[in-house]
Amino acid sequence: MLRDITIGQYYPADSVIHKLDPRTKLFATLLFVISLFTFRNPVGLGLAAVFMASFIWLSKVPFGYMVKGLRAIVVILIITALFNLFLTPGEPLVKFWIFSISQEGFISAGKMAMRLIFLIIGTSVVTLTTTPNALTDGLEKALRPLNAIKIPVHEIAMMMSIALRFIPILVEETDKIMKAQIARGADFESGNLIKKAKNMVPLLVPLFISAFRRANDLALAMEARCYHGGSGRTKMKPLRYQKRDGIAYMIVIVYFGVMIAVGIWL
Amino acid sequence: MNFIEARKLVHEYIRRDEEGNVESIQTALDHVDIDVKPGEFVAVLGHNGSGKSTFAKHLNVLLVPTEGTLWVDGKDVTEEENLWDIRKNAGMVFQNPDNQIIASVVEEDVGFGPENIGIPTEEILKRVDKSLKSVGMLEYREHSPNKLSGGQKQRVAIAGVMAMEPKCIVLDEPTAMLDPNGRKEVLDAVERLNQEKGVTIILITHYMEEVVRADRVYVMDQGKVVMEGTPREVFSQVDTLKKYRLDVPQITLLAHELRQAGMAVPKGILTRQELVEALCQ
C-alpha cells in the first residue's frame, strides 16, 4: 500500500502544465477543489469532468498514473459512499431488514464519490507535473506575506521539501526492516486490529531511530554547505510569471465563475 | 603557507548525566599536528574510533577544538566570524550519500550550496553545469537522486560541494557504503579534481587501496597521529601498520612476504605494475 502514494512523485514530461508557475498551479488547484463542492447537478459535474480531462490531456501524464493515487483512498471512498447511501433520508428504493436505500442517498453517494475521485485526481496532476522543490518554492513565495506575522515560511517550505525527498527513502527502509523482522519470525499479517498494531512496534522503533539518525546526518550536511536559514539566500530557479500563467489564471477564473453560476441557477 | 594547520589539536567528547555532571570524558583527538599544503592530496587513515572523522568535522567547524589551534586557509576556527568563510572554502562530503542530498532533482541539489551563499542566479546555473561536468554527471542533471547508484549519488554530492568553488574538499569515508565499482568512480572523480582543478583533497578512509593515490598519508590511532609520510614510506612498514590493525594493500603485502622469504624485492611496492617490474629485473 505504501507504494501507492503518488504524492511527491514527479512525472517528467515537456508539457504546458509542467511549465506553468507552481503558484499558478496551486491557485488553480485551490479553485478547482472549491468548485467541486459548488455543484449540485450533473451539469456541474460534467463541466468539472471536462475541465479536468482537458488539463490531464494537456499535462501529457498517462492517466494510469493518476488512477494509481486513488488506490490509497479506496477505503475512505467506500466508507463515505456507504454512509451517504444508507443514511440519507428520503423515498426508499430498496429495503431489507433495518437498511433502506433512498433515491436521494443513491444520488448523494454517487456525487460524494465523484467529488473525492476528482479531488484526488485533480490534485495529483499538480504533484505529478511539479517537482517537489518547485512546489515548495511556489508555496514559499505565495505565503511570503505571512512572514510579517512571524510565521517562518521559508523554514516550513524547506521542511516540506525535505520530507518529500525522504518519503521514498523511508518507504524503502520500511520494506527492508519488515523483511528483516519477518526473517526473524515477526508476524505482520495475522491477528485482529489491536494485535496487528502491536506487531508494528518492532517495525516502527527501528524506523524511527533510523529516521532520527538520517535527520542528524542531513542537518550536518546542510550546515557544511553553509545553510543558515532563508536570509541572504538566492535562487537557482527564481519564480517568474510568464504569459502562459496569465492565460491559465484567466481560464481558471472563468471556469470557477461558470461553476458558481451553474451551482446557483441550475 | 599551509592550507590546513593543526597544532596540538585536542577534542574531548564529554558525556554528562542528567544533572550536568561529567560522567566520562573520551579523548577523540589527542594533540594532533597535521599540515596540508594547497593543492595537496592528503589521506588520513585509521581504524574505527581512531579520531579521523572527528578531525574531519573540525575542518568544517562542525566541531570546535577543546584545546590547541586549527587554521583553515589562514583563519582560526575558534573565531565565530570566520565560520561561513571556512565552510565555503573547505567543502565536506559525508559517508552516506542518501543523507546528504537535499533536493529531489540532481541539479537542484547541486545548486543548494551556491544558493546558501547568495550567488546570483545566472552564476549558479553556470556553476551547476561546470561542477556536474567535472564529476561526469552532466547527463543526469534532471534525474531524481533516488534512482542513481551509490557511486553516482556520491559524485552528485561532490558536485554539490564543487559548486561552492571551495579551495579544499574534505571527504569523510566517502566510499564506505559503496561497492567496488562505485568506489573507483568516486576516487577517479576526486583524483581528477585534484589534478585538473588543483583542489586540495583530504580523504578520510580506512581502505588502504584508496590511499595509494594520495601525495601524503597520516595514520591515526586512538586520537594520535602515529605515522606520517608518502604512501610508499608508510606502506614499507608493514609490521607497524599491522600493529594499528590496518591492512596493507594486497600487492604490498605480497611484496613484503616475498622479501621476508628472501627475494630481492624493494620496500614499499604499491601497484601491481611496480611488483611486476621489480620481479622481472
Side-chain angles (χ1 to χ4, degrees):
Chain A
M1 199 193 96
L2 283 166
R3 286 177 201 291
D4 297 337
I5 302 171
T6 35
I7 297 170
Q9 282 189 7
Y10 175 63
Y11 181 90
D14 186 33
S15 78
V16 194
I17 305 280
H18 280 78
K19 282 190 200 126
L20 282 179
D21 191 289
R23 283 169 291 173
T24 317
K25 285 188 256 191
L26 284 170
F27 179 73
T29 319
L30 185 69
L31 284 195
F32 178 70
V33 169
I34 296 172
S35 82
L36 288 179
F37 292 90
T38 59
F39 67 75
R40 281 172 298 180
N41 54 35
V43 181
L45 182 72
L47 266 174
V50 169
F51 182 66
M52 195 176 77
S54 53
F55 68 67
I56 287 173
W57 177 73
L58 278 174
S59 74
K60 293 185 185 166
V61 179
F63 190 61
Y65 256 83
M66 291 164 208
V67 179
K68 251 197 252 165
L70 283 178
R71 257 189 270 167
I73 62 142
V74 160
V75 182
I76 304 172
L77 201 63
I78 292 172
I79 292 174
T80 333
L82 286 181
F83 266 85
N84 272 295
L85 198 58
F86 290 114
L87 297 178
T88 315
E91 194 69 24
L93 269 181
V94 193
K95 219 173 165 181
F96 56 94
W97 193 34
I98 53 165
F99 297 112
S100 73
I101 297 174
S102 65
Q103 196 177 352
E104 286 87 346
F106 200 70
I107 292 171
S108 89
K111 239 196 275 181
M112 216 51 213
M114 286 320 268
R115 271 182 188 148
L116 278 177
I117 292 172
F118 279 27
L119 191 84
I120 296 297
I121 294 183
T123 44
S124 72
V125 171
V126 181
T127 50
L128 282 165
T129 59
T130 323
T131 64
N133 267 38
L135 206 59
T136 43
D137 265 8
L139 265 182
E140 187 182 345
K141 208 154 180 195
L143 299 180
R144 185 160 292 172
L146 293 182
N147 259 333
I149 51 168
K150 298 243 155 78
I151 292 178
V153 178
H154 166 79
E155 280 73 11
I156 293 172
M158 183 54 96
M159 278 192 262
M160 278 180 51
S161 74
I162 289 172
L164 287 172
R165 147 108 178 92
F166 276 86
I167 286 174
I169 293 177
L170 289 178
V171 168
E172 204 175 291
E173 184 135 333
T174 314
D175 217 45
K176 241 189 245 168
I177 297 173
M178 215 163 184
K179 278 186 187 138
Q181 302 289 39
I182 288 172
R184 291 180 220 167
D187 181 10
F188 296 111
E189 304 291 331
S190 64
N192 56 19
L193 207 60
I194 294 170
K195 189 149 179 279
K196 263 190 189 164
K198 267 188 190 157
N199 286 345
M200 290 304 252
V201 173
L203 176 67
L204 291 180
V205 171
L207 189 66
F208 264 79
I209 291 173
S210 131
F212 276 113
R213 191 170 298 141
R214 280 179 194 281
N216 190 31
D217 280 6
L218 188 74
L220 269 187
M222 285 171 75
E223 255 186 74
R225 280 160 80 182
C226 295
Y227 180 73
H228 51 280
S231 61
R233 261 191 122 221
T234 44
K235 288 277 176 197
M236 177 164 83
K237 296 174 181 161
L239 297 176
R240 267 189 219 109
Y241 278 128
Q242 310 285 332
K243 201 174 146 205
R244 53 174 171 263
D245 293 301
I247 299 170
Y249 267 111
M250 255 147 56
I251 294 173
V252 169
I253 289 170
V254 167
Y255 158 79
F256 190 64
V258 171
M259 284 299 280
I260 297 273
V262 168
I264 292 172
W265 288 301
L266 279 177
Chain B
M1 207 188 93
N2 289 326
F3 185 79
I4 284 163
E5 213 170 300
R7 287 286 170 275
K8 297 200 164 47
L9 193 63
V10 177
H11 189 86
E12 287 165 348
Y13 287 111
I14 299 170
R15 185 187 294 256
R16 289 174 195 276
D17 59 13
E18 276 153 30
E19 280 96 51
N21 302 317
V22 177
E23 232 174 29
S24 67
I25 298 179
Q26 192 202 344
T27 311
L29 291 178
D30 190 359
H31 298 86
V32 167
D33 294 313
I34 288 181
D35 293 316
V36 180
K37 289 187 200 68
E40 228 180 349
F41 182 167
V42 169
V44 178
L45 252 177
H47 208 261
N48 285 346
S50 62
K52 58 190 193 304
S53 274
T54 307
F55 175 68
K57 286 193 180 117
H58 278 77
L59 300 178
N60 205 270
V61 211
L62 293 171
L63 290 175
V64 216
T66 313
E67 263 176 54
T69 46
L70 173 65
W71 288 278
V72 177
D73 195 18
K75 296 185 179 74
D76 189 341
V77 295
T78 48
E79 309 264 337
E80 190 85 29
E81 72 259 23
N82 292 335
L83 179 69
W84 300 112
D85 253 358
I86 292 174
R87 285 202 181 147
K88 202 182 119 226
N89 281 322
M92 185 135 179
V93 177
F94 296 85
Q95 191 183 84
N96 188 333
D98 275 327
N99 294 356
Q100 55 184 321
I101 294 180
I102 288 109
S104 316
V105 179
V106 167
E107 62 172 353
E108 284 179 11
D109 183 72
V110 177
F112 179 76
E115 281 180 342
N116 287 336
I117 50 177
I119 307 291
T121 302
E122 315 275 290
E123 173 76 13
I124 294 182
L125 289 170
K126 263 188 235 152
R127 284 189 181 193
V128 168
D129 256 11
K130 218 164 69 183
S131 50
L132 276 174
K133 205 183 278 171
S134 71
V135 295
M137 290 293 291
L138 194 59
E139 67 255 56
Y140 293 94
R141 64 179 299 167
E142 310 260 329
H143 284 231
S144 153
N146 291 327
K147 301 206 169 100
L148 302 178
S149 74
Q152 289 172 326
K153 278 185 216 168
Q154 206 57 300
R155 270 148 71 202
V156 169
I158 295 174
V161 170
M162 278 302 288
M164 295 168 73
E165 301 193 338
K167 294 178 186 157
C168 162
I169 298 184
V170 183
L171 300 111
D172 188 2
E173 300 200 49
T175 59
M177 303 183 77
L178 306 181
D179 56 19
N181 272 338
R183 260 156 68 184
K184 192 169 175 306
E185 265 172 43
V186 169
L187 287 174
D188 285 348
V190 167
E191 203 174 11
R192 229 176 15 248
L193 290 179
N194 178 247
Q195 283 168 358
E196 286 168 16
K197 317 245 158 174
V199 183
T200 311
I201 302 283
I202 294 158
L203 175 69
I204 314 280
T205 184
H206 63 259
Y207 287 116
M208 307 296 275
E209 282 82 1
E210 297 179 355
V211 176
V212 173
R213 309 181 187 218
D215 297 326
R216 238 148 29 82
V217 182
Y218 285 93
V219 179
M220 289 185 71
D221 188 61
Q222 296 186 343
K224 290 191 177 72
V225 172
V226 286
M227 288 169 90
E228 185 208 329
T230 63
R232 202 173 298 278
E233 285 162 10
V234 169
F235 287 137
S236 59
Q237 304 169 49
V238 175
D239 295 320
T240 326
L241 281 171
K242 277 190 180 155
K243 200 175 84 195
Y244 299 119
R245 293 175 295 163
L246 290 165
D247 300 317
V248 289
Q250 288 286 320
I251 289 296
T252 313
L253 192 65
L254 178 62
H256 178 72
E257 299 281 335
L258 287 173
R259 238 169 71 84
Q260 289 204 322
M263 286 184 74
V265 180
K267 269 189 167 188
I269 296 270
L270 295 179
T271 62
R272 191 180 298 172
Q273 190 61 33
E274 281 174 19
L275 184 61
V276 169
E277 274 162 25
L279 288 174
C280 292
Q281 263 171 10

Coordinates of all heavy atoms in Angstrom, one line a residue, chain A residues 20-48:
Chain A
L20 N 4.0 25.6 -16.3 CA 3.3 26.7 -15.5 C 4.1 27.0 -14.2 O 4.7 26.1 -13.6 CB 1.9 26.3 -15.2 CG 0.9 26.4 -16.4 CD1 -0.5 25.9 -15.9 CD2 0.8 27.8 -16.9
D21 N 3.9 28.2 -13.8 CA 4.5 28.6 -12.5 C 3.8 27.8 -11.4 O 2.5 27.6 -11.4 CB 4.3 30.1 -12.3 CG 5.0 30.6 -11.1 OD1 4.6 30.3 -10.0 OD2 6.0 31.3 -11.3
P22 N 4.5 27.3 -10.4 CA 3.8 26.5 -9.3 C 2.8 27.3 -8.6 O 1.8 26.7 -8.2 CB 5.0 26.1 -8.4 CG 6.2 26.9 -8.8 CD 6.0 27.3 -10.2
R23 N 3.0 28.6 -8.5 CA 1.9 29.4 -7.8 C 0.6 29.4 -8.6 O -0.5 29.3 -8.0 CB 2.4 30.9 -7.7 CG 3.4 31.1 -6.6 CD 4.0 32.4 -6.7 NE 4.9 32.6 -7.9 CZ 5.4 33.7 -8.3 NH1 5.2 34.8 -7.7 NH2 6.2 33.7 -9.4
T24 N 0.7 29.4 -9.9 CA -0.5 29.3 -10.8 C -1.2 28.0 -10.5 O -2.4 28.0 -10.3 CB -0.1 29.4 -12.3 OG1 0.9 30.4 -12.4 CG2 -1.3 29.7 -13.1
K25 N -0.4 26.9 -10.5 CA -1.0 25.6 -10.3 C -1.6 25.5 -8.9 O -2.7 24.9 -8.8 CB 0.1 24.5 -10.5 CG 0.4 24.3 -12.0 CD 1.3 23.2 -12.2 CE 2.8 23.6 -12.4 NZ 3.6 22.5 -12.9
L26 N -1.0 26.1 -7.9 CA -1.5 26.0 -6.6 C -2.9 26.7 -6.5 O -3.9 26.2 -6.0 CB -0.6 26.6 -5.5 CG 0.6 25.7 -5.2 CD1 1.6 26.5 -4.4 CD2 0.2 24.5 -4.4
F27 N -2.9 27.9 -7.1 CA -4.1 28.7 -7.1 C -5.2 28.0 -7.9 O -6.4 27.9 -7.4 CB -3.8 30.1 -7.8 CG -5.0 31.0 -7.9 CD1 -5.5 31.6 -6.7 CD2 -5.6 31.2 -9.1 CE1 -6.6 32.4 -6.8 CE2 -6.7 32.0 -9.1 CZ -7.2 32.6 -8.0
A28 N -4.9 27.4 -9.0 CA -5.8 26.7 -9.8 C -6.4 25.5 -9.1 O -7.6 25.2 -9.1 CB -5.2 26.2 -11.1
T29 N -5.5 24.8 -8.4 CA -6.0 23.6 -7.6 C -7.0 24.0 -6.5 O -8.0 23.4 -6.3 CB -4.8 22.9 -6.9 OG1 -3.7 22.9 -7.8 CG2 -5.1 21.5 -6.5
L30 N -6.6 25.2 -5.8 CA -7.5 25.6 -4.8 C -8.9 25.9 -5.4 O -9.9 25.4 -4.8 CB -6.9 26.9 -4.2 CG -7.6 27.5 -3.0 CD1 -7.5 26.6 -1.8 CD2 -7.1 28.9 -2.7
L31 N -8.9 26.7 -6.5 CA -10.2 27.0 -7.1 C -11.0 25.7 -7.5 O -12.2 25.6 -7.4 CB -10.1 28.0 -8.2 CG -9.8 29.4 -7.9 CD1 -10.0 30.3 -9.1 CD2 -10.7 29.9 -6.7
F32 N -10.2 24.8 -8.1 CA -10.8 23.6 -8.6 C -11.4 22.8 -7.5 O -12.6 22.3 -7.6 CB -9.7 22.7 -9.3 CG -10.2 21.4 -9.8 CD1 -11.1 21.3 -10.9 CD2 -9.8 20.2 -9.2 CE1 -11.6 20.1 -11.4 CE2 -10.3 19.0 -9.7 CZ -11.2 19.0 -10.8
V33 N -10.7 22.7 -6.4 CA -11.2 21.9 -5.2 C -12.5 22.6 -4.7 O -13.5 21.9 -4.4 CB -10.1 21.8 -4.1 CG1 -10.7 21.3 -2.8 CG2 -9.0 20.9 -4.6
I34 N -12.5 23.9 -4.6 CA -13.7 24.6 -4.1 C -14.8 24.4 -5.1 O -16.0 24.1 -4.7 CB -13.4 26.1 -3.9 CG1 -12.4 26.4 -2.9 CG2 -14.7 26.8 -3.6 CD1 -11.9 27.8 -2.7
S35 N -14.5 24.4 -6.4 CA -15.6 24.3 -7.4 C -16.2 22.9 -7.3 O -17.4 22.8 -7.6 CB -15.0 24.5 -8.8 OG -14.4 23.4 -9.2
L36 N -15.5 21.9 -6.8 CA -16.1 20.6 -6.7 C -17.2 20.5 -5.7 O -18.1 19.7 -5.8 CB -15.0 19.6 -6.3 CG -14.0 19.2 -7.4 CD1 -13.0 18.2 -6.8 CD2 -14.6 18.6 -8.6
F37 N -17.2 21.5 -4.8 CA -18.2 21.4 -3.7 C -19.3 22.4 -4.0 O -20.2 22.7 -3.2 CB -17.6 21.7 -2.4 CG -16.7 20.5 -2.0 CD1 -15.4 20.5 -2.3 CD2 -17.3 19.4 -1.3 CE1 -14.6 19.4 -2.0 CE2 -16.5 18.3 -1.0 CZ -15.1 18.3 -1.3
T38 N -19.3 23.1 -5.2 CA -20.4 24.0 -5.5 C -21.5 23.4 -6.3 O -22.6 23.8 -6.3 CB -19.8 25.2 -6.3 OG1 -19.3 24.7 -7.5 CG2 -18.8 26.0 -5.5
F39 N -21.2 22.3 -7.1 CA -22.2 21.8 -8.0 C -23.2 20.9 -7.3 O -22.9 20.3 -6.3 CB -21.6 21.2 -9.2 CG -20.9 19.9 -8.9 CD1 -21.6 18.7 -8.6 CD2 -19.5 19.8 -9.0 CE1 -20.9 17.5 -8.4 CE2 -18.8 18.7 -8.8 CZ -19.5 17.5 -8.5
R40 N -24.5 21.0 -7.8 CA -25.5 20.1 -7.2 C -26.1 19.2 -8.2 O -27.1 18.5 -7.9 CB -26.5 21.0 -6.5 CG -26.1 21.5 -5.1 CD -27.1 22.5 -4.6 NE -27.2 23.6 -5.4 CZ -28.0 24.7 -5.2 NH1 -28.7 24.7 -4.1 NH2 -28.0 25.7 -6.0
N41 N -25.7 19.4 -9.4 CA -26.4 18.6 -10.5 C -25.4 18.1 -11.6 O -24.2 18.5 -11.5 CB -27.4 19.5 -11.2 CG -26.8 20.8 -11.7 OD1 -25.7 20.8 -12.1 ND2 -27.5 21.9 -11.6
P42 N -25.9 17.2 -12.4 CA -24.9 16.6 -13.4 C -24.3 17.6 -14.3 O -23.1 17.3 -14.8 CB -25.9 15.7 -14.2 CG -27.1 15.5 -13.4 CD -27.2 16.7 -12.5
V43 N -24.9 18.8 -14.6 CA -24.2 19.8 -15.5 C -22.9 20.2 -14.9 O -21.9 20.2 -15.5 CB -25.2 21.0 -15.7 CG1 -24.5 22.0 -16.6 CG2 -26.5 20.5 -16.2
G44 N -23.0 20.5 -13.6 CA -21.7 21.0 -12.9 C -20.7 19.9 -12.9 O -19.5 20.1 -13.2
L45 N -21.1 18.7 -12.6 CA -20.2 17.5 -12.6 C -19.6 17.3 -14.0 O -18.4 17.2 -14.1 CB -21.0 16.3 -12.2 CG -20.2 15.0 -12.1 CD1 -19.4 15.0 -10.9 CD2 -21.1 13.8 -12.1
G46 N -20.4 17.5 -15.0 CA -19.9 17.3 -16.4 C -18.9 18.4 -16.7 O -17.8 18.1 -17.2
L47 N -19.2 19.6 -16.3 CA -18.2 20.7 -16.5 C -16.9 20.5 -15.9 O -15.8 20.6 -16.5 CB -18.8 22.0 -16.0 CG -19.6 22.9 -16.9 CD1 -20.2 24.1 -16.2 CD2 -18.7 23.4 -18.0
A48 N -17.0 20.0 -14.6 CA -15.8 19.7 -13.8 C -15.0 18.6 -14.5 O -13.8 18.7 -14.6 CB -16.1 19.4 -12.4

